Amino acid sequence: MALAAALLAWMCGAAWAQPPAVSTAPAFSLQDYVSRALASSPELAQAEESLREADYQWKSQTAAAWLPTLSFTGLAYPYGHNPADQYRYVRWRMNRSDMAFNTTVGLNLFNSFQDANRVALARHGRNASRYARDAARRDRSIAAARAYFDLGLRERLVEVARENLKGQEDQYRLTQDLYKNGMKSLFDLLKSETDWRSSELRITFADAERRRSLASFNSLIARDPEAPARLDPLPEPATHALRPLADDLSSAEANRPEALRADALEARADVARRQARRELLPLLSVDATWNHQDTPTFGQPITTLTSIPNPNYQLGVRLSLPSRFNGVSQAADWAAASAARRRAAAERRAVQRQVRLEAVQARISLEQALAAARIAAQKADLAGRNLELVTEQYRQGSADSIRLGQAQLDNLQANTERGQAAHDAAVSLLEYRRAIGEEPRP
């Protein structure tokens, strides 16, 4: 019975420890995955449409400010009492001489800068939408890169757990052989099997985390949650020469889309305040008009029936109060616009402060991650060498199972920390570049 139990245990361990079959899953590079994630992102699609809407609004306001306007009217009374012919009764008559046409072309030359303010409002709104789109693109790029690196980390941790399970299985076989030959006690045998079972339990948790990460990975590119994927190896962290902190802060304020959007919103609020202040004053407008009118002749030759020139054109200057002027409403609108301008300025200062803080924190996190990755790599190398030494001593009988188990646990933790540190360094580098306003490329 003991032999059967040992054989069954060995078969279960072999099933966990066997190397994975050659994968036929599609391969993803980081750049390809980020591109696909951006193409599938509804958040980025919303930002793109908001920018497109703001751009068309700016084009509309610009055209209204600079292009002439055209109005055309055609009028006829084919049936009934014709008001244009002294209400004479007609029955379904539609002659050319019964029709009146009026064509007018107008161009506003000056309207107290109202058109200029509308164009400026639309332009700053478009700029704010563009910077919001850029911020959304960077945020989604970071999220996609995080998902990519997280899946790579989980797969690496499964490999580490599988290697540990293979080592525990080998240890158990060795302990069994030594126990049969009287070189190890029953305690050593039971301890080896306990460590083996712990490794089996550990790999089940690692594989579950990998599957969760795979589901998140696939959701960002609209794939089946459990569709397999092959990734490029997680990059080893490299040494990066960081520039002075003052340069990072300046770059963040000048290039972060959040800060640029806050500047655009403040500029837009300033234009709105100027527009509200202008509404307190009379409106001076200069318009050029060209008009041509064809009146109904009712059988007579189509000629001008009055002494009014046809066509006629004029340059008009008009001074008037704004529509629905009462003074109090206009003053209240100006006060509200001034408050909105101050609010936008305060928001811009808050964004700048947050941007500077994020740049400092991202730099500190990157420095910490790079140092941790370097130390974790050294620790993993040392733990591997120590495991080899203790394993050999265990074979020779000079080391007990407790010491060997501790060496195996140290090696497992060191390799886990090495994978985690490489992941954290890669993510910290992306976050640092985002924080200082650079393209968050890996």
Side-chain angles (χ1 to χ4, degrees):
M1 291 178 62
L3 180 60
L7 180 61
L8 178 62
W10 177 82
M11 292 174 63
C12 294
W16 279 112
Q18 64 183 357
V22 178
S23 176
T24 58
F28 290 91
S29 68
L30 177 58
Q31 296 296 343
D32 292 340
Y33 177 72
V34 170
S35 298
R36 291 186 58 175
L38 292 179
S40 303
S41 171
E43 297 85 357
L44 183 58
Q46 294 177 19
E48 292 281 2
E49 293 304 323
S50 296
L51 174 58
R52 189 171 290 109
E53 176 185 1
D55 185 61
Y56 280 119
Q57 289 176 349
W58 170 77
K59 292 178 179 178
S60 174
Q61 292 296 336
T62 303
W66 292 102
L67 297 181
T69 60
L70 173 66
S71 63
F72 173 81
T73 302
L75 180 62
Y77 299 94
Y79 180 83
H81 299 90
N82 189 347
D85 193 16
Q86 299 178 354
Y87 289 90
R88 181 175 299 173
Y89 185 80
V90 296
R91 289 179 178 274
W92 300 114
R93 191 177 71 182
M94 199 69 173
N95 298 328
R96 172 63 181 84
S97 60
D98 300 332
M99 302 177 187
F101 299 96
N102 187 60
T103 304
T104 302
V105 178
L107 178 63
N108 177 259
L109 302 178
F110 180 75
N111 62 355
S112 299
F113 303 106
Q114 282 189 326
D115 284 340
N117 288 335
R118 294 190 186 100
V119 172
L121 285 172
R123 183 177 69 253
H124 292 309
R126 180 191 60 172
N127 292 340
S129 297
R130 177 180 294 112
Y131 297 135
R133 188 274 314 269
D134 293 343
R137 178 182 293 275
R138 292 192 175 191
D139 289 343
R140 300 320 302 166
S141 296
I142 292 293
R146 279 180 172 274
Y148 187 94
F149 288 144
D150 185 70
L151 180 57
L153 170 64
R154 300 306 169 187
E155 291 182 345
R156 173 57 183 162
L157 294 183
V158 169
E159 293 176 3
V160 171
R162 186 177 288 113
E163 292 173 1
N164 177 260
L165 179 61
K166 180 63 168 61
Q168 295 292 351
E169 178 191 348
D170 293 341
Q171 177 190 346
Y172 178 74
R173 290 180 180 178
L174 176 62
T175 305
Q176 262 191 333
D177 184 63
L178 295 176
Y179 174 73
K180 292 177 181 179
N181 294 315
M183 300 178 61
K184 291 296 178 180
S185 66
L186 179 61
F187 169 80
D188 293 324
L189 180 62
L190 295 177
K191 178 67 169 60
S192 298
E193 186 174 1
T194 301
D195 292 341
W196 182 19
R197 300 307 178 189
S198 297
S199 296
E200 289 181 336
L201 185 62
R202 187 179 296 110
I203 199 172
T204 60
F205 285 109
D207 187 65
E209 290 298 323
R210 181 196 64 81
R211 293 177 61 190
R212 293 189 185 96
S213 181
L214 178 62
S216 299
F217 175 91
N218 287 329
S219 68
L220 293 182
I221 55 176
R223 296 178 77 214
D224 183 76
E226 295 195 351
R230 289 186 296 112
L231 309 184
D232 292 340
L234 193 66
E236 290 293 334
T239 302
H240 293 270
L242 302 180
R243 57 188 181 183
L245 179 60
D247 294 344
D248 285 347
L249 297 179
S250 299
S251 176
E253 291 181 352
N255 299 319
R256 281 284 294 272
E258 295 88 345
L260 297 175
R261 180 176 181 271
D263 292 341
L265 290 178
E266 182 185 12
R268 190 175 188 274
D270 186 63
V271 174
R273 181 177 65 90
R274 293 201 308 267
Q275 179 70 2
R277 182 177 59 186
R278 203 226 60 76
E279 292 292 334
L280 291 168
L281 303 174
L283 171 65
L284 176 64
S285 178
V286 180
D287 297 278
T289 305
W290 180 92
N291 178 265
H292 184 273
Q293 184 177 11
D294 288 336
T295 60
T297 60
F298 305 105
Q300 306 175 27
I302 300 178
T303 59
T304 300
L305 302 181
T306 67
S307 60
I308 300 176
N310 190 28
N312 58 82
Y313 49 88
Q314 57 276 148
L315 184 68
V317 180
R318 182 175 65 252
L319 182 66
S320 61
L321 288 175
S323 61
R324 306 185 64 181
F325 181 85
N326 59 24
V328 178
S329 297
Q330 285 71 27
D333 290 341
W334 178 71
S338 298
R341 166 68 173 78
R342 293 191 296 270
R343 177 181 56 80
E347 182 179 355
R348 179 184 60 82
R349 293 193 300 270
V351 170
Q352 287 181 338
R353 181 172 61 183
Q354 183 65 26
V355 162
R356 291 173 62 88
L357 178 61
E358 289 179 1
V360 174
Q361 292 177 339
R363 181 188 179 96
I364 294 174
S365 298
L366 177 61
E367 292 174 348
Q368 176 190 5
L370 292 177
R374 184 183 68 255
I375 296 172
Q378 296 173 350
K379 181 179 177 180
D381 293 339
L382 293 174
R385 292 170 56 188
N386 182 63
L387 178 59
E388 293 177 359
L389 177 62
V390 175
T391 300
E392 183 62 29
Q393 292 176 350
Y394 185 79
R395 290 192 180 97
Q396 297 175 2
S398 59
D400 57 15
S401 59
I402 296 179
R403 184 180 174 188
L404 177 59
Q406 185 61 47
Q408 290 173 333
L409 181 61
D410 291 343
N411 183 67
L412 173 65
Q413 292 178 344
N415 281 281
T416 300
E417 292 172 356
R418 182 175 189 174
Q420 184 68 54
H423 166 271
D424 294 345
V427 173
S428 296
L429 181 58
L430 292 174
E431 292 287 356
Y432 167 74
R433 286 175 171 157
R434 182 192 68 85
I436 64 175
E438 292 184 355
E439 189 68 24
R441 61 186 185 281

